[in-house]
Amino acid sequence: MAVHRSGPLKQQNKAHKGGRHRGRSAAQRDGKGRVAVKVLSKKARKELSRVDQRHRASQLRKQKKEAVLAEKRQLGSKDGPPHQVLVVSLHERVNLGEALLLLQNTDNKVVPVVEQGGTWFMVLCPQLKHRWFFTSAKSGDLHTMLDLAKVADTILFILDPVEGWDSTGDYCLSCLFAQGLPTYSLAIQGVGGLPPKKQTEAKKKLSKALEKRFPGDRLLHLDTRQDAVLLLRQLANQKQRHLSFRDRRAYLFAHAADFVPSQESSLVGTLKVSGYVRGQTLDVNRLLHIVGHGDFQIKQIDAPADPFPLNPRVIKARKGLDMAMQVEGVDADGATEMEEDLKVLVRADPARQESLQSEVVPDPMEGEQTWPTEEELNEANDFLKERTKMVKKVPKGTSSYQAEWIVDEDDVSSIDEEEEEEDEAAEDFMEGEESETEGSEEECETMTLGESVRDDQYDEKIDEEAEEQMLEKYKQERLDEMFPDEVDTPRDVAARIRFQKYRGLKSFRTSPWDPKENLPQDYARIFQFQDFSRTRKRIFKEIEEEESEGAEVGWYVTLHVCGVPASVVESFRLGVPLVMFSLLPHEQKMSVLNMVVRRHPGNQEPVKSKEEMIFHCGFRRFRASPLYSQHTAADKHKAERFLRPDVALVVTVYAPITFPPASVLLFKQKPDGKHSLIATGSLLSVDPDRMVIKRLVLSGHPFKILTKMAVVRYMFFNREDVLWFKPVELRTKWGRRGHIKEPLGTHGHMKCTFDGQLKSQDTVLMNLYKRVFPKWTYDPYVPEPMPWSKEETSPGPEVDMQ
């Protein structure tokens, strides 16, 4: 029997590996302690026992609680700045002077220090280890109220027990909520004056109304001295709310100011302003912005003795010693030594001090273009020749001229006959309309109305010219809503000349558009970031991590601000508050700011694009003429001719750089000098490359319709315009798309093809686009508005007090 033997091509199976099994411990032993990065992160994040997790959570809670308590203890203490409280009256029946008098006379141990004619005062309470600085704004003084709210730690709203707030108070609340509301408290004045039966009912109505504006807040009374003491305790123990636009910057409220004119001119000099540093450490090399007046440089910072110590000791008066120095926290010898040692805290370093340059000085030779070489000219000519060549099928024996211009005479005669018939019908229709209007006018004259008393004084107050302008604005806004972006083609100017800056786009969303193309001359004056968000993150990170040198928070300092006009100290002596903010790097430079705003519901008058507005952007106040555009995520944004009431729009202006977040308020100055709140929002970005595209729609009417072809008229009025706009795509209001095939005649008629048959009532449209830029009308000086009263404020949302 033959035995089978495998040949040389036998399959060789892989032999089984014998030996010891290699487990996890062996792998770790072979790795010699090396652990993957993922394993390390998982261990640090997840591999904690339940006891360790609880312990870590309790530590985090304890740290947060200690941070809140440390912030409470520092504010108003002997080492921190005084607790600044803004008292705001929300009703005309509230007696603001009586409320301030109660806060001053709360206890025998309270030491009031009155300044500025009784408008601002300091309250020192050693019993509570707290000191308050109370400020108040006159009723209707809008700028003063907003400026004081920018630096106030707490706002105390005083309400009427019956109505709560009136229309003026509602307008005031709208402005404060839009700017950013810090910690606030609510107090009622005059509850004790109501009958006992009506007190409970009034409190219920007021609590119901407060749920809309201040949900869940506690109401306090301010009628007696005991009520004032309880109110002070409430203010001292409240948790502080933060405003991000001021927490990242050093700011200061002026308690005293002195002006030293320069040698060159008495109108400009050095302003010595004293106050407590708040927010962040004040760097002498940073620029200082005085709200309402502009940006300035700091020359030096002095450190005088604190004029309002928490535990003062009375010392004997000496000859030649000022009376204001008799109340000090230390003895006289120590005070003079401290003054000598700390008279100059720090001086500015010219090498590190930031410049006041806000604009780029454009070089007229920078945009110079060299003459092209002969090779470049030949290449351009060859390229043009290739583009001008066109292949077209024509009947045999037809010249190129006939192929471009000749049409059938029957079609032209039928077109002319139809035009004459439609013109006659239009004339008959217009005559019928005139007869109807005449008849309606005659009917209106014969109508009898009820008797009414004519108010001559009311007619005298009306400005007829302003009424006509407002009526014209209402008409334009109404037309823009009914026919968005549609314009009539001019008859006296060729459309190719009138709209030569416009272009057609295949798709507004996807068609390319270079943001650096055809920029205006003003763009040579502004600054632009390569990556704005990255620069913002870097600056904010430096503020949080790096320790800057300068005046610490809570120090009472005197700033020497150079180059300040004399009008600043004159307004301060008249009682206008002086508020200063330290600028972050680059915040003095001009750029293009984009802000997201929404129309205020209490204002309904039309607001046109490029109309001058007053901006409150963060800590700045300026005037500018903005552009309005849609708030979308695309790279191109359609411009709006009017500020729409129901949607959020983006406002674009030339203004100094401001790092968001920052609140935005838009006001409009009326002819009588009053300011009306138009819109509120926030700062979006600083981006000159954001493209605002203006759309323009030309309309035509089909009057001869075939299967997929139609003859359109009234879009253009000469043959050259039809040929000029031939590459632009057409669309209709009913969704058809098409293009111009050829012109007919010399009166602007054109033959167009579409993707389907048109309806007789359809309208043919052509979209043209052009990039628009804001006007350079930036003005940092905003005049003080006229006081507004209850009758003159814009009607806000009604509050049901029943």
Side-chain angles (χ1 to χ4, degrees):
M1 178 178 176
V3 180
H4 173 74
R5 297 182 182 274
S6 61
L9 301 178
K10 180 185 176 184
Q11 177 181 351
Q12 297 290 333
N13 294 326
K14 189 174 181 181
H16 174 69
K17 276 189 175 181
R20 187 180 52 176
H21 175 69
R22 188 169 177 267
R24 183 186 298 177
S25 59
Q28 291 177 355
R29 188 168 54 251
D30 294 342
K32 297 181 179 179
R34 292 189 294 269
V35 184
V37 178
K38 289 185 178 181
V39 177
L40 281 175
S41 61
K42 286 181 180 179
K43 281 184 179 179
R45 190 170 62 249
K46 292 183 180 179
E47 293 184 6
L48 287 177
S49 65
R50 186 168 298 179
V51 177
D52 293 339
Q53 290 178 4
R54 290 176 181 174
H55 183 59
R56 185 177 62 177
S58 64
Q59 283 181 330
L60 292 175
R61 283 197 303 269
K62 188 177 179 180
Q63 289 175 2
K64 292 180 181 178
K65 192 179 294 184
E66 288 177 354
V68 172
L69 289 175
E71 184 183 6
K72 275 186 186 178
R73 290 166 184 159
Q74 186 182 14
L75 183 63
S77 65
K78 62 178 182 178
D79 298 327
H83 191 151
Q84 187 159 337
V85 182
L86 171 62
V87 184
V88 177
S89 169
L90 294 181
H91 202 281
E92 60 180 0
R93 287 200 295 262
V94 171
N95 192 341
L96 188 59
E98 183 181 346
L100 296 176
L101 191 61
L102 277 174
L103 292 170
Q104 291 184 48
N105 301 326
T106 50
D107 200 346
N108 295 328
K109 295 183 180 180
V110 175
V111 182
V113 181
V114 183
E115 288 191 352
Q116 297 294 330
T119 306
W120 310 331
F121 59 91
M122 184 82 69
V123 175
L124 308 175
C125 184
Q127 182 182 1
L128 297 176
K129 297 180 181 180
H130 210 85
R131 51 181 177 172
W132 292 271
F133 180 61
F134 284 93
T135 62
S136 62
K138 296 178 182 178
S139 179
D141 196 350
L142 182 64
H143 282 181
T144 302
M145 181 190 67
L146 292 177
D147 289 348
L148 290 174
K150 286 181 175 70
V151 295
D153 299 311
T154 303
I155 299 181
L156 177 59
F157 294 112
I158 303 181
L159 295 85
D160 181 71
V162 179
E163 297 183 3
W165 56 82
D166 53 11
S167 59
T168 305
D170 186 76
Y171 182 69
C172 166
L173 287 175
S174 299
C175 298
L176 289 174
F177 271 93
Q179 179 177 264
L181 202 62
T183 308
Y184 62 88
S185 293
L186 305 174
I188 315 173
Q189 186 188 56
V191 178
L194 296 175
K197 293 183 179 180
K198 292 186 177 181
Q199 289 184 7
T200 307
E201 184 181 356
K203 289 180 182 178
K204 288 182 180 179
K205 291 181 180 179
L206 188 58
S207 299
K208 186 178 179 181
L210 288 174
E211 283 296 323
K212 299 178 182 179
R213 284 277 193 180
F214 309 98
D217 288 325
R218 181 186 173 191
L219 277 172
L220 300 173
H221 294 267
L222 190 57
D223 292 326
T224 62
R225 186 174 297 181
Q226 186 179 3
D227 294 339
V229 173
L230 292 175
L231 181 59
L232 288 179
R233 289 184 180 273
Q234 169 72 13
L235 296 177
N237 295 324
Q238 269 186 318
K239 181 182 178 181
Q240 293 298 308
R241 299 173 62 183
H242 295 274
L243 296 179
S244 55
F245 78 89
R246 72 181 187 185
D247 285 346
R248 292 188 175 95
R249 299 170 178 87
Y251 60 96
L252 182 141
F253 179 83
H255 288 253
D258 189 19
F259 183 74
V260 179
S262 62
Q263 298 179 356
E264 293 81 6
S265 174
S266 60
L267 299 177
V268 180
T270 301
L271 179 67
K272 296 181 180 179
V273 57
S274 301
Y276 292 92
V277 180
R278 300 171 183 270
Q280 295 287 336
T281 302
L282 181 60
D283 190 354
V284 69
N285 295 314
R286 295 275 176 87
L287 296 179
L288 189 72
H289 176 78
I290 302 178
V291 177
H293 298 283
D295 304 334
F296 305 95
Q297 287 181 331
I298 307 175
K299 185 165 59 177
Q300 71 180 37
I301 301 178
D302 298 343
D306 192 342
F308 310 112
L310 189 58
N311 298 306
R313 284 190 294 176
V314 179
I315 60 176
K316 296 181 180 179
R318 299 182 180 180
K319 295 182 180 179
L321 188 65
D322 190 73
M323 294 297 293
M325 298 296 295
Q326 293 183 18
V327 180
E328 290 290 340
V330 294
D331 54 75
D333 296 334
T336 53
E337 289 177 4
M338 184 185 296
E339 202 172 69
E340 289 177 0
D341 294 340
L342 300 178
K343 185 174 182 181
V344 179
L345 183 65
V346 63
R347 285 191 174 92
D349 185 3
R352 298 174 54 195
Q353 194 171 28
E354 293 189 9
S355 172
L356 282 171
Q357 182 185 3
S358 61
E359 300 177 18
V360 179
V361 180
D363 185 4
M365 301 300 293
E366 189 176 357
E368 182 186 11
Q369 192 167 0
T370 56
W371 188 256
T373 62
E374 188 174 355
E375 294 179 358
E376 292 175 344
L377 290 173
N378 294 334
E379 289 179 2
N381 291 331
D382 295 341
F383 179 73
L384 287 174
K385 288 178 182 178
E386 290 179 1
R387 291 194 62 183
T388 52
K389 292 179 180 179
M390 184 174 64
V391 179
K392 187 176 182 180
K393 292 182 179 180
V394 295
K396 190 175 181 181
T398 305
S399 64
S400 59
Y401 180 82
Q402 290 173 337
E404 290 288 336
W405 299 96
I406 293 179
V407 294
D408 295 335
E409 294 181 358
D410 297 335
D411 293 339
V412 176
S413 61
S414 62
I415 291 171
D416 293 337
E417 289 174 2
E418 290 182 8
E419 283 182 357
E420 291 175 1
E421 291 176 1
E422 290 193 5
D423 291 340
E424 291 176 0
E427 290 176 0
D428 296 338
F429 178 74
M430 292 297 293
E431 289 178 1
E433 277 194 338
E434 290 176 0
S435 63
E436 288 178 5
T437 54
E438 290 175 0
S440 63
E441 289 176 0
E442 291 177 0
E443 291 175 2
C444 291
E445 290 178 355
T446 58
M447 289 177 64
T448 58
L449 300 176
E451 295 181 359
S452 60
V453 181
R454 186 170 180 270
D455 191 356
D456 295 333
Q457 294 180 354
Y458 183 79
D459 292 338
E460 291 175 358
K461 295 178 182 178
I462 292 179
D463 188 356
E464 294 184 1
E465 185 177 354
E467 287 286 320
E468 290 293 330
Q469 292 178 358
M470 188 60 66
L471 178 62
E472 186 63 28
K473 278 187 181 180
Y474 274 112
K475 288 182 178 179
Q476 292 178 6
E477 186 180 29
R478 180 64 177 164
L479 284 174
D480 190 58
E481 289 179 1
M482 296 174 62
F483 308 101
D485 302 324
E486 288 192 32
V487 297
D488 295 330
T489 307
R491 301 290 299 272
D492 54 345
V493 181
R496 63 186 182 279
I497 297 175
R498 168 63 181 84
F499 307 123
Q500 60 185 347
K501 294 184 180 180
Y502 291 82
R503 68 179 71 177
L505 294 178
K506 179 71 175 176
S507 171
F508 182 77
R509 185 177 62 87
T510 60
S511 296
W513 196 311
D514 187 6
K516 304 296 184 183
E517 175 187 353
N518 294 333
L519 297 178
Q521 188 65 26
D522 291 334
Y523 264 53
R525 302 164 59 184
I526 66 173
F527 291 84
Q528 182 178 6
F529 295 98
Q530 188 174 4
D531 190 342
F532 175 73
S533 60
R534 185 175 61 186
T535 305
R536 173 176 168 271
K537 288 179 182 178
R538 177 181 57 81
I539 291 175
F540 286 177
K541 189 176 181 181
E542 290 176 358
I543 293 172
E544 294 175 358
E545 296 179 355
E546 295 183 4
E547 295 183 1
S548 58
E549 299 179 356
E552 297 289 340
V553 177
W555 290 4
Y556 186 82
V557 297
T558 299
L559 307 181
H560 294 249
V561 188
C562 42
V564 180
S567 59
V568 177
V569 72
E570 290 176 1
S571 64
F572 176 74
R573 288 168 183 167
L574 293 175
V576 179
L578 205 58
V579 176
M580 288 152 285
F581 280 83
S582 177
L583 298 181
L584 299 179
H586 313 296
E587 283 196 328
Q588 81 279 12
K589 300 173 182 176
M590 295 291 293
S591 188
V592 178
L593 268 62
N594 302 303
M595 316 166 189
V596 181
V597 300
R598 189 176 286 272
R599 188 74 179 266
H600 186 252
N603 191 286
Q604 300 296 333
E605 63 181 72
V607 179
K608 201 173 183 181
S609 180
K610 295 187 179 180
E611 194 172 345
E612 188 179 74
M613 307 290 288
I614 297 170
F615 287 79
H616 288 246
C617 180
F619 55 88
R620 290 188 186 272
R621 186 166 67 235
F622 57 89
R623 290 188 293 178
S625 300
L627 283 178
Y628 305 121
S629 59
Q630 293 180 353
H631 184 33
T632 57
D635 60 340
K636 296 182 286 294
H637 311 272
K638 192 178 85 67
E640 294 287 349
R641 286 179 168 82
F642 291 88
L643 184 61
R644 301 295 180 189
D646 300 328
V647 294
L649 296 180
V650 176
V651 176
T652 304
V653 291
Y654 289 114
I657 294 169
T658 304
F659 290 102
S663 59
V664 174
L665 285 80
L666 267 69
F667 291 89
K668 183 179 178 182
Q669 187 169 358
K670 296 182 178 180
D672 54 1
K674 301 178 181 64
H675 291 180
S676 175
L677 182 62
I678 299 296
T680 59
S682 60
L683 182 61
L684 176 64
S685 65
V686 180
D687 185 13
D689 287 343
R690 188 180 190 276
M691 292 188 291
V692 180
I693 307 299
K694 181 180 179 181
R695 186 181 69 174
L696 189 143
V697 180
L698 303 180
S699 59
H701 304 277
F703 77 106
K704 187 178 179 65
I705 300 174
L706 301 177
T707 307
K708 287 189 177 181
M709 192 173 294
V711 179
V712 180
R713 61 178 177 179
Y714 300 150
M715 183 177 288
F716 303 108
F717 298 100
N718 58 70
R719 189 182 186 91
E720 290 77 11
D721 288 343
V722 177
L723 293 172
W724 179 268
F725 290 100
K726 186 177 179 181
V728 184
E729 188 182 21
L730 300 175
R731 68 177 184 87
T732 69
K733 288 189 175 181
W734 285 33
R736 296 298 180 190
R737 292 186 176 273
H739 62 275
I740 301 173
K741 187 176 182 182
E742 59 184 359
L744 300 176
T746 60
H747 296 287
H749 294 196
M750 53 189 183
K751 186 184 292 185
C752 307
T753 58
F754 295 91
D755 56 358
Q757 188 171 5
L758 298 186
K759 302 293 184 180
S760 59
Q761 64 269 32
D762 204 351
T763 304
V764 181
L765 304 175
M766 176 183 287
N767 293 337
L768 301 176
Y769 301 95
K770 178 184 73 169
R771 186 178 178 184
V772 290
F773 303 90
K775 290 183 178 179
W776 191 290
T777 57
Y778 171 77
D779 186 5
Y781 174 72
V782 179
E784 292 292 328
M786 295 293 293
W788 30 266
S789 60
K790 181 178 179 180
E791 292 80 10
E792 294 162 348
T793 50
S794 301
E798 294 184 359
V799 179
D800 186 13
M801 302 297 297
Q802 299 299 326

